[in-house]
Amino acid sequence: MRAQAKYLEGYEELQWLRKHLPIVDESIRWPSREQLAARRLKHLTDAGGEMFLLEKRGRICEEALDTLIGSSEGWDVTVSDEGTKVSSRVRPMPGPNNMIDTKVEAVLDGIQCEHTLMVFREGDLYPSWFPFVSHGSIVYGASATEVIAHLLFEVNLYGCMDLCLQGFGCDNLRDGNFLLCVRHCSQQDVLPLTGREIELPPKPNATGKLFKLGRIKAIIDIMVEPLSPTSVRFSYSCSQPAPKIAPAWIISWVLKSGMGSIFGRMKAVCRAMASGDPASRKRYPIVDRLSTPEYKYVVDDLSGRVEGYLRRMGWALSLIHI
């Protein structure tokens, strides 16, 4: 199931089994087949069990969908002239920081769904397009749908922060969408996820910055819905702490000017990927990466999923490659 990346389907099957199996009772000396099955399921889904990660990620995907397509009540919503919808809210928290939630939604034409997935996967290339990212790296690329990445964000004299992230994709194309769920990755997370001893990058030096934010534990959820071979509906949500002493106008500027520009920049990158325009190769290095032998497994995996979905929806294969 991890290779297939169909965490929601697997999670729903586990929930169905729990609903139809009896409650685990270890005191039963001569258990029925159903009781044995319930015990086995508990063993598999407990920490360290073979299905622990499946259930954990399935639950994350379920929560992501609720955030991305749930009610807008309590959010400050603005819509740009291009139709990009930016929603934000501030949640008071104990301690020196509040929690800032942001959602950006738009329909993007002239791009291919699989290219949007690839753009967000390549952590080392974020400085070429993502607002305020000054450095990025892929710490570990487990598969086409799973990576550990490190990003450094800087805003002039205001401050700097970095993120160590574990990101995974969920193929939910049975319902017409593909999810990308990104969570904080600690050093303790690395070995269980990779099976290797990999040292995470050090925290950034914030000398000379007004706010020393350090390593941020952000929550990022993304949903991509292929509407046609050359258009997608894209939703992006992010939750991260911000200092309570930070001026409100700075937070507003970062949210609306920074986050609101994500889709315009991503669209430019994806159009360059689709066209293969030589002039764009220097500005967007992912254009060259698409054709390298080392990247073929990513292209084959993601393109295969999306093209299969589009065929099922009745789109002609000749229209997929633009």
Side-chain angles (χ1 to χ4, degrees):
M1 189 64 72
R2 187 174 181 180
Q4 295 175 344
K6 297 189 177 182
Y7 296 106
L8 274 170
E9 291 185 40
Y11 179 65
E12 290 170 5
E13 290 174 3
L14 289 177
Q15 295 298 87
W16 185 91
L17 286 171
R18 281 208 175 90
K19 181 179 178 181
H20 290 84
L21 288 173
I23 296 174
V24 172
D25 186 348
E26 299 288 354
S27 67
I28 299 176
R29 186 174 180 181
W30 303 107
S32 64
R33 286 185 300 176
E34 290 78 9
Q35 179 63 213
L36 288 172
R39 293 179 185 181
R40 177 59 176 163
L41 180 62
K42 182 180 183 302
H43 174 74
L44 290 172
T45 56
D46 280 346
E50 294 177 24
M51 293 186 179
F52 174 75
L53 187 63
L54 166 63
E55 183 166 44
K56 178 181 178 180
R57 289 185 170 178
R59 190 179 299 111
I60 288 173
C61 291
E62 196 172 61
E63 293 169 354
L65 284 176
D66 184 63
T67 298
L68 291 164
I69 63 178
S71 171
S72 61
E73 184 177 354
W75 294 78
D76 176 27
V77 180
T78 59
V79 181
S80 72
D81 294 338
E82 296 78 24
T84 300
K85 179 180 176 182
V86 182
S87 307
S88 63
R89 67 182 179 187
V90 179
R91 286 184 287 141
M93 305 288 287
N97 299 322
N98 286 325
M99 187 63 70
I100 309 298
D101 299 326
T102 312
K103 287 197 295 186
V104 189
E105 307 163 70
V107 172
L108 306 175
D109 297 315
I111 64 175
Q112 297 170 219
C113 177
E114 61 268 33
H115 287 168
T116 65
L117 300 174
M118 295 172 196
V119 167
F120 274 91
R121 180 189 185 276
E122 303 309 298
D124 59 319
L125 302 184
Y126 272 50
S128 68
W129 72 277
F130 200 95
F132 309 122
V133 176
S134 60
H135 174 78
S137 64
I138 294 181
V139 178
Y140 181 72
S143 69
T145 57
E146 188 171 349
V147 296
I148 296 175
H150 177 249
L151 303 176
L152 176 62
F153 288 76
E154 293 187 88
V155 183
N156 296 327
L157 296 175
Y158 169 68
C160 69
M161 65 181 185
D162 76 328
L163 298 91
C164 279
L165 305 167
Q166 50 176 307
F168 67 91
C170 173
D171 182 344
N172 193 40
L173 288 169
R174 58 162 191 177
D175 294 331
N177 60 69
F178 200 104
L179 292 170
L180 302 177
C181 299
V182 182
R183 298 296 184 268
H184 173 69
C185 184
S186 68
Q187 190 63 56
Q188 290 72 31
D189 295 322
V190 174
L191 183 59
L193 288 170
T194 68
R196 303 182 186 180
E197 294 285 355
I198 300 174
E199 193 71 24
L200 294 177
K203 295 180 180 180
N205 184 348
T207 301
K209 301 294 184 181
L210 182 60
F211 298 109
K212 298 172 175 59
L213 303 178
R215 181 153 293 170
I216 301 300
K217 296 182 179 180
I219 297 174
I220 301 169
D221 294 311
I222 298 167
M223 182 172 68
V224 190
E225 302 171 75
L227 303 177
S228 77
T230 58
S231 65
V232 300
R233 180 180 292 109
F234 207 98
S235 304
Y236 174 102
S237 78
C238 178
S239 299
Q240 64 184 61
K244 291 180 178 179
I245 61 173
W249 69 266
I250 290 181
I251 295 176
S252 177
W253 175 72
V254 170
L255 291 176
K256 294 182 178 179
S257 300
M259 304 303 289
S261 69
I262 288 174
F263 290 104
R265 297 186 182 200
M266 184 188 69
K267 187 174 183 177
V269 179
C270 291
R271 281 185 167 174
M273 294 168 72
S275 69
D277 179 14
S280 67
R281 293 178 182 272
K282 185 175 182 180
R283 184 174 183 182
Y284 302 123
I286 195 172
V287 176
D288 275 334
R289 184 169 294 183
L290 282 175
S291 59
T292 61
E294 297 80 10
Y295 202 65
K296 186 176 184 297
Y297 78 100
V298 177
V299 174
D300 289 348
D301 186 304
L302 298 179
S303 296
R305 295 175 193 268
V306 175
E307 290 180 8
Y309 170 77
L310 290 171
R311 287 194 197 96
R312 294 194 298 274
M313 294 298 102
W315 292 96
L317 182 60
S318 60
L319 294 177
I320 297 176
H321 303 284
I322 62 174

PDB file of all heavy atoms in Angstrom, residues 62-91:
ATOM      1  N   GLU A  62      -7.302  12.206   5.747  1.00  0.00           N
ATOM      2  CA  GLU A  62      -8.685  12.523   6.070  1.00  0.00           C
ATOM      3  C   GLU A  62      -8.778  13.927   6.668  1.00  0.00           C
ATOM      4  O   GLU A  62      -9.671  14.717   6.314  1.00  0.00           O
ATOM      5  CB  GLU A  62      -9.234  11.483   7.043  1.00  0.00           C
ATOM      6  CG  GLU A  62     -10.742  11.458   7.158  1.00  0.00           C
ATOM      7  CD  GLU A  62     -11.226  10.278   7.988  1.00  0.00           C
ATOM      8  OE1 GLU A  62     -10.861  10.190   9.182  1.00  0.00           O
ATOM      9  OE2 GLU A  62     -11.952   9.427   7.440  1.00  0.00           O
ATOM     10  N   GLU A  63      -7.853  14.262   7.558  1.00  0.00           N
ATOM     11  CA  GLU A  63      -7.825  15.592   8.161  1.00  0.00           C
ATOM     12  C   GLU A  63      -7.494  16.665   7.115  1.00  0.00           C
ATOM     13  O   GLU A  63      -8.029  17.780   7.163  1.00  0.00           O
ATOM     14  CB  GLU A  63      -6.798  15.622   9.291  1.00  0.00           C
ATOM     15  CG  GLU A  63      -7.171  14.744  10.486  1.00  0.00           C
ATOM     16  CD  GLU A  63      -6.025  14.581  11.477  1.00  0.00           C
ATOM     17  OE1 GLU A  63      -4.909  15.071  11.173  1.00  0.00           O
ATOM     18  OE2 GLU A  63      -6.239  13.967  12.539  1.00  0.00           O
ATOM     19  N   ALA A  64      -6.606  16.315   6.164  1.00  0.00           N
ATOM     20  CA  ALA A  64      -6.239  17.261   5.110  1.00  0.00           C
ATOM     21  C   ALA A  64      -7.446  17.616   4.248  1.00  0.00           C
ATOM     22  O   ALA A  64      -7.674  18.790   3.927  1.00  0.00           O
ATOM     23  CB  ALA A  64      -5.131  16.676   4.247  1.00  0.00           C
ATOM     24  N   LEU A  65      -8.232  16.626   3.890  1.00  0.00           N
ATOM     25  CA  LEU A  65      -9.425  16.884   3.083  1.00  0.00           C
ATOM     26  C   LEU A  65     -10.397  17.792   3.824  1.00  0.00           C
ATOM     27  O   LEU A  65     -11.014  18.689   3.235  1.00  0.00           O
ATOM     28  CB  LEU A  65     -10.111  15.574   2.708  1.00  0.00           C
ATOM     29  CG  LEU A  65      -9.462  14.752   1.601  1.00  0.00           C
ATOM     30  CD1 LEU A  65     -10.205  13.431   1.419  1.00  0.00           C
ATOM     31  CD2 LEU A  65      -9.447  15.520   0.283  1.00  0.00           C
ATOM     32  N   ASP A  66     -10.515  17.576   5.125  1.00  0.00           N
ATOM     33  CA  ASP A  66     -11.410  18.408   5.923  1.00  0.00           C
ATOM     34  C   ASP A  66     -10.949  19.865   5.924  1.00  0.00           C
ATOM     35  O   ASP A  66     -11.760  20.791   5.846  1.00  0.00           O
ATOM     36  CB  ASP A  66     -11.490  17.873   7.352  1.00  0.00           C
ATOM     37  CG  ASP A  66     -12.476  18.651   8.204  1.00  0.00           C
ATOM     38  OD1 ASP A  66     -13.674  18.633   7.882  1.00  0.00           O
ATOM     39  OD2 ASP A  66     -12.048  19.279   9.190  1.00  0.00           O
ATOM     40  N   THR A  67      -9.632  20.074   5.997  1.00  0.00           N
ATOM     41  CA  THR A  67      -9.087  21.433   5.969  1.00  0.00           C
ATOM     42  C   THR A  67      -9.261  22.078   4.602  1.00  0.00           C
ATOM     43  O   THR A  67      -9.659  23.239   4.492  1.00  0.00           O
ATOM     44  CB  THR A  67      -7.591  21.418   6.332  1.00  0.00           C
ATOM     45  OG1 THR A  67      -7.425  20.912   7.656  1.00  0.00           O
ATOM     46  CG2 THR A  67      -6.986  22.813   6.250  1.00  0.00           C
ATOM     47  N   LEU A  68      -8.991  21.322   3.561  1.00  0.00           N
ATOM     48  CA  LEU A  68      -8.953  21.884   2.211  1.00  0.00           C
ATOM     49  C   LEU A  68     -10.340  22.159   1.632  1.00  0.00           C
ATOM     50  O   LEU A  68     -10.523  23.120   0.881  1.00  0.00           O
ATOM     51  CB  LEU A  68      -8.177  20.953   1.284  1.00  0.00           C
ATOM     52  CG  LEU A  68      -6.670  20.865   1.566  1.00  0.00           C
ATOM     53  CD1 LEU A  68      -6.063  19.656   0.866  1.00  0.00           C
ATOM     54  CD2 LEU A  68      -5.971  22.145   1.113  1.00  0.00           C
ATOM     55  N   ILE A  69     -11.309  21.322   1.955  1.00  0.00           N
ATOM     56  CA  ILE A  69     -12.632  21.487   1.352  1.00  0.00           C
ATOM     57  C   ILE A  69     -13.721  21.728   2.388  1.00  0.00           C
ATOM     58  O   ILE A  69     -14.908  21.686   2.076  1.00  0.00           O
ATOM     59  CB  ILE A  69     -13.002  20.264   0.472  1.00  0.00           C
ATOM     60  CG1 ILE A  69     -13.088  18.994   1.323  1.00  0.00           C
ATOM     61  CG2 ILE A  69     -11.999  20.095  -0.649  1.00  0.00           C
ATOM     62  CD1 ILE A  69     -13.506  17.765   0.526  1.00  0.00           C
ATOM     63  N   GLY A  70     -13.308  21.974   3.638  1.00  0.00           N
ATOM     64  CA  GLY A  70     -14.270  22.207   4.710  1.00  0.00           C
ATOM     65  C   GLY A  70     -14.846  23.618   4.687  1.00  0.00           C
ATOM     66  O   GLY A  70     -14.611  24.407   3.759  1.00  0.00           O
ATOM     67  N   SER A  71     -15.578  23.950   5.710  1.00  0.00           N
ATOM     68  CA  SER A  71     -16.257  25.239   5.816  1.00  0.00           C
ATOM     69  C   SER A  71     -15.252  26.387   5.873  1.00  0.00           C
ATOM     70  O   SER A  71     -14.159  26.263   6.433  1.00  0.00           O
ATOM     71  CB  SER A  71     -17.140  25.263   7.073  1.00  0.00           C
ATOM     72  OG  SER A  71     -17.644  26.559   7.308  1.00  0.00           O
ATOM     73  N   SER A  72     -15.623  27.547   5.291  1.00  0.00           N
ATOM     74  CA  SER A  72     -14.784  28.753   5.331  1.00  0.00           C
ATOM     75  C   SER A  72     -15.120  29.650   6.515  1.00  0.00           C
ATOM     76  O   SER A  72     -14.571  30.744   6.642  1.00  0.00           O
ATOM     77  CB  SER A  72     -14.947  29.546   4.028  1.00  0.00           C
ATOM     78  OG  SER A  72     -16.294  29.948   3.864  1.00  0.00           O
ATOM     79  N   GLU A  73     -15.994  29.189   7.386  1.00  0.00           N
ATOM     80  CA  GLU A  73     -16.377  29.982   8.554  1.00  0.00           C
ATOM     81  C   GLU A  73     -15.162  30.247   9.447  1.00  0.00           C
ATOM     82  O   GLU A  73     -14.400  29.338   9.766  1.00  0.00           O
ATOM     83  CB  GLU A  73     -17.458  29.254   9.357  1.00  0.00           C
ATOM     84  CG  GLU A  73     -17.986  30.048  10.538  1.00  0.00           C
ATOM     85  CD  GLU A  73     -19.112  29.339  11.278  1.00  0.00           C
ATOM     86  OE1 GLU A  73     -19.567  28.281  10.799  1.00  0.00           O
ATOM     87  OE2 GLU A  73     -19.530  29.839  12.336  1.00  0.00           O
ATOM     88  N   GLY A  74     -14.974  31.515   9.815  1.00  0.00           N
ATOM     89  CA  GLY A  74     -13.856  31.877  10.664  1.00  0.00           C
ATOM     90  C   GLY A  74     -12.607  32.283   9.905  1.00  0.00           C
ATOM     91  O   GLY A  74     -11.611  32.678  10.521  1.00  0.00           O
ATOM     92  N   TRP A  75     -12.638  32.215   8.573  1.00  0.00           N
ATOM     93  CA  TRP A  75     -11.491  32.582   7.746  1.00  0.00           C
ATOM     94  C   TRP A  75     -11.710  33.967   7.135  1.00  0.00           C
ATOM     95  O   TRP A  75     -12.825  34.332   6.769  1.00  0.00           O
ATOM     96  CB  TRP A  75     -11.292  31.573   6.619  1.00  0.00           C
ATOM     97  CG  TRP A  75     -10.906  30.195   7.059  1.00  0.00           C
ATOM     98  CD1 TRP A  75     -11.726  29.236   7.575  1.00  0.00           C
ATOM     99  CD2 TRP A  75      -9.608  29.616   7.015  1.00  0.00           C
ATOM    100  NE1 TRP A  75     -11.020  28.090   7.855  1.00  0.00           N
ATOM    101  CE2 TRP A  75      -9.712  28.289   7.520  1.00  0.00           C
ATOM    102  CE3 TRP A  75      -8.359  30.066   6.601  1.00  0.00           C
ATOM    103  CZ2 TRP A  75      -8.623  27.434   7.610  1.00  0.00           C
ATOM    104  CZ3 TRP A  75      -7.276  29.204   6.685  1.00  0.00           C
ATOM    105  CH2 TRP A  75      -7.414  27.905   7.188  1.00  0.00           C
ATOM    106  N   ASP A  76     -10.631  34.729   6.978  1.00  0.00           N
ATOM    107  CA  ASP A  76     -10.647  36.002   6.254  1.00  0.00           C
ATOM    108  C   ASP A  76     -10.329  35.690   4.797  1.00  0.00           C
ATOM    109  O   ASP A  76      -9.222  35.253   4.473  1.00  0.00           O
ATOM    110  CB  ASP A  76      -9.607  36.955   6.845  1.00  0.00           C
ATOM    111  CG  ASP A  76      -9.524  38.262   6.072  1.00  0.00           C
ATOM    112  OD1 ASP A  76     -10.527  38.647   5.457  1.00  0.00           O
ATOM    113  OD2 ASP A  76      -8.437  38.879   6.082  1.00  0.00           O
ATOM    114  N   VAL A  77     -11.301  35.890   3.918  1.00  0.00           N
ATOM    115  CA  VAL A  77     -11.179  35.443   2.529  1.00  0.00           C
ATOM    116  C   VAL A  77     -11.064  36.641   1.591  1.00  0.00           C
ATOM    117  O   VAL A  77     -11.839  37.594   1.684  1.00  0.00           O
ATOM    118  CB  VAL A  77     -12.395  34.586   2.117  1.00  0.00           C
ATOM    119  CG1 VAL A  77     -12.253  34.114   0.667  1.00  0.00           C
ATOM    120  CG2 VAL A  77     -12.549  33.390   3.052  1.00  0.00           C
ATOM    121  N   THR A  78     -10.073  36.595   0.695  1.00  0.00           N
ATOM    122  CA  THR A  78      -9.949  37.581  -0.374  1.00  0.00           C
ATOM    123  C   THR A  78      -9.782  36.839  -1.690  1.00  0.00           C
ATOM    124  O   THR A  78      -9.230  35.736  -1.733  1.00  0.00           O
ATOM    125  CB  THR A  78      -8.738  38.515  -0.160  1.00  0.00           C
ATOM    126  OG1 THR A  78      -7.540  37.724  -0.107  1.00  0.00           O
ATOM    127  CG2 THR A  78      -8.871  39.301   1.121  1.00  0.00           C
ATOM    128  N   VAL A  79     -10.246  37.458  -2.774  1.00  0.00           N
ATOM    129  CA  VAL A  79     -10.143  36.863  -4.103  1.00  0.00           C
ATOM    130  C   VAL A  79      -9.458  37.854  -5.030  1.00  0.00           C
ATOM    131  O   VAL A  79      -9.877  39.017  -5.126  1.00  0.00           O
ATOM    132  CB  VAL A  79     -11.531  36.478  -4.663  1.00  0.00           C
ATOM    133  CG1 VAL A  79     -11.390  35.843  -6.045  1.00  0.00           C
ATOM    134  CG2 VAL A  79     -12.250  35.520  -3.719  1.00  0.00           C
ATOM    135  N   SER A  80      -8.401  37.410  -5.704  1.00  0.00           N
ATOM    136  CA  SER A  80      -7.660  38.299  -6.596  1.00  0.00           C
ATOM    137  C   SER A  80      -8.404  38.484  -7.911  1.00  0.00           C
ATOM    138  O   SER A  80      -9.393  37.796  -8.198  1.00  0.00           O
ATOM    139  CB  SER A  80      -6.272  37.708  -6.879  1.00  0.00           C
ATOM    140  OG  SER A  80      -6.386  36.576  -7.731  1.00  0.00           O
ATOM    141  N   ASP A  81      -7.904  39.419  -8.732  1.00  0.00           N
ATOM    142  CA  ASP A  81      -8.502  39.652 -10.048  1.00  0.00           C
ATOM    143  C   ASP A  81      -8.411  38.421 -10.935  1.00  0.00           C
ATOM    144  O   ASP A  81      -9.238  38.228 -11.832  1.00  0.00           O
ATOM    145  CB  ASP A  81      -7.798  40.831 -10.741  1.00  0.00           C
ATOM    146  CG  ASP A  81      -8.029  42.155 -10.011  1.00  0.00           C
ATOM    147  OD1 ASP A  81      -9.030  42.240  -9.269  1.00  0.00           O
ATOM    148  OD2 ASP A  81      -7.201  43.067 -10.175  1.00  0.00           O
ATOM    149  N   GLU A  82      -7.406  37.581 -10.681  1.00  0.00           N
ATOM    150  CA  GLU A  82      -7.240  36.368 -11.490  1.00  0.00           C
ATOM    151  C   GLU A  82      -8.070  35.205 -10.968  1.00  0.00           C
ATOM    152  O   GLU A  82      -8.044  34.106 -11.540  1.00  0.00           O
ATOM    153  CB  GLU A  82      -5.761  35.944 -11.513  1.00  0.00           C
ATOM    154  CG  GLU A  82      -4.823  36.938 -12.190  1.00  0.00           C
ATOM    155  CD  GLU A  82      -4.493  38.112 -11.290  1.00  0.00           C
ATOM    156  OE1 GLU A  82      -4.586  37.961 -10.049  1.00  0.00           O
ATOM    157  OE2 GLU A  82      -4.171  39.179 -11.819  1.00  0.00           O
ATOM    158  N   GLY A  83      -8.799  35.421  -9.874  1.00  0.00           N
ATOM    159  CA  GLY A  83      -9.653  34.366  -9.340  1.00  0.00           C
ATOM    160  C   GLY A  83      -9.003  33.510  -8.278  1.00  0.00           C
ATOM    161  O   GLY A  83      -9.592  32.526  -7.822  1.00  0.00           O
ATOM    162  N   THR A  84      -7.778  33.865  -7.871  1.00  0.00           N
ATOM    163  CA  THR A  84      -7.117  33.116  -6.805  1.00  0.00           C
ATOM    164  C   THR A  84      -7.743  33.489  -5.459  1.00  0.00           C
ATOM    165  O   THR A  84      -7.829  34.657  -5.106  1.00  0.00           O
ATOM    166  CB  THR A  84      -5.612  33.410  -6.770  1.00  0.00           C
ATOM    167  OG1 THR A  84      -5.035  33.029  -8.019  1.00  0.00           O
ATOM    168  CG2 THR A  84      -4.937  32.650  -5.643  1.00  0.00           C
ATOM    169  N   LYS A  85      -8.151  32.514  -4.709  1.00  0.00           N
ATOM    170  CA  LYS A  85      -8.798  32.717  -3.420  1.00  0.00           C
ATOM    171  C   LYS A  85      -7.783  32.486  -2.311  1.00  0.00           C
ATOM    172  O   LYS A  85      -7.189  31.406  -2.217  1.00  0.00           O
ATOM    173  CB  LYS A  85      -9.976  31.748  -3.279  1.00  0.00           C
ATOM    174  CG  LYS A  85     -10.737  31.836  -1.973  1.00  0.00           C
ATOM    175  CD  LYS A  85     -11.874  30.819  -1.965  1.00  0.00           C
ATOM    176  CE  LYS A  85     -12.613  30.790  -0.644  1.00  0.00           C
ATOM    177  NZ  LYS A  85     -13.679  29.750  -0.641  1.00  0.00           N
ATOM    178  N   VAL A  86      -7.579  33.511  -1.481  1.00  0.00           N
ATOM    179  CA  VAL A  86      -6.632  33.424  -0.369  1.00  0.00           C
ATOM    180  C   VAL A  86      -7.413  33.562   0.936  1.00  0.00           C
ATOM    181  O   VAL A  86      -8.117  34.547   1.143  1.00  0.00           O
ATOM    182  CB  VAL A  86      -5.555  34.517  -0.452  1.00  0.00           C
ATOM    183  CG1 VAL A  86      -4.559  34.363   0.704  1.00  0.00           C
ATOM    184  CG2 VAL A  86      -4.825  34.460  -1.777  1.00  0.00           C
ATOM    185  N   SER A  87      -7.293  32.569   1.800  1.00  0.00           N
ATOM    186  CA  SER A  87      -7.980  32.571   3.090  1.00  0.00           C
ATOM    187  C   SER A  87      -6.944  32.509   4.201  1.00  0.00           C
ATOM    188  O   SER A  87      -5.954  31.783   4.091  1.00  0.00           O
ATOM    189  CB  SER A  87      -8.932  31.376   3.209  1.00  0.00           C
ATOM    190  OG  SER A  87      -9.820  31.302   2.111  1.00  0.00           O
ATOM    191  N   SER A  88      -7.177  33.265   5.273  1.00  0.00           N
ATOM    192  CA  SER A  88      -6.230  33.244   6.391  1.00  0.00           C
ATOM    193  C   SER A  88      -6.975  33.434   7.702  1.00  0.00           C
ATOM    194  O   SER A  88      -8.080  33.990   7.743  1.00  0.00           O
ATOM    195  CB  SER A  88      -5.172  34.335   6.223  1.00  0.00           C
ATOM    196  OG  SER A  88      -5.767  35.617   6.258  1.00  0.00           O
ATOM    197  N   ARG A  89      -6.353  32.966   8.759  1.00  0.00           N
ATOM    198  CA  ARG A  89      -6.882  33.181  10.098  1.00  0.00           C
ATOM    199  C   ARG A  89      -5.739  33.078  11.095  1.00  0.00           C
ATOM    200  O   ARG A  89      -4.721  32.425  10.824  1.00  0.00           O
ATOM    201  CB  ARG A  89      -7.972  32.154  10.436  1.00  0.00           C
ATOM    202  CG  ARG A  89      -7.478  30.725  10.552  1.00  0.00           C
ATOM    203  CD  ARG A  89      -8.626  29.755  10.830  1.00  0.00           C
ATOM    204  NE  ARG A  89      -8.136  28.380  10.909  1.00  0.00           N
ATOM    205  CZ  ARG A  89      -8.918  27.305  11.012  1.00  0.00           C
ATOM    206  NH1 ARG A  89     -10.241  27.466  11.055  1.00  0.00           N
ATOM    207  NH2 ARG A  89      -8.399  26.093  11.084  1.00  0.00           N
ATOM    208  N   VAL A  90      -5.913  33.732  12.224  1.00  0.00           N
ATOM    209  CA  VAL A  90      -4.925  33.680  13.309  1.00  0.00           C
ATOM    210  C   VAL A  90      -5.565  32.976  14.488  1.00  0.00           C
ATOM    211  O   VAL A  90      -6.635  33.371  14.962  1.00  0.00           O
ATOM    212  CB  VAL A  90      -4.470  35.090  13.716  1.00  0.00           C
ATOM    213  CG1 VAL A  90      -3.467  35.008  14.869  1.00  0.00           C
ATOM    214  CG2 VAL A  90      -3.852  35.816  12.531  1.00  0.00           C
ATOM    215  N   ARG A  91      -4.918  31.919  14.949  1.00  0.00           N
ATOM    216  CA  ARG A  91      -5.423  31.181  16.104  1.00  0.00           C
ATOM    217  C   ARG A  91      -4.539  31.479  17.321  1.00  0.00           C
ATOM    218  O   ARG A  91      -3.347  31.161  17.307  1.00  0.00           O
ATOM    219  CB  ARG A  91      -5.428  29.676  15.821  1.00  0.00           C
ATOM    220  CG  ARG A  91      -6.532  29.228  14.863  1.00  0.00           C
ATOM    221  CD  ARG A  91      -6.533  27.716  14.709  1.00  0.00           C
ATOM    222  NE  ARG A  91      -5.410  27.234  13.910  1.00  0.00           N
ATOM    223  CZ  ARG A  91      -4.714  26.131  14.173  1.00  0.00           C
ATOM    224  NH1 ARG A  91      -4.978  25.423  15.267  1.00  0.00           N
ATOM    225  NH2 ARG A  91      -3.741  25.747  13.377  1.00  0.00           N
TER     226      ARG A  91
END
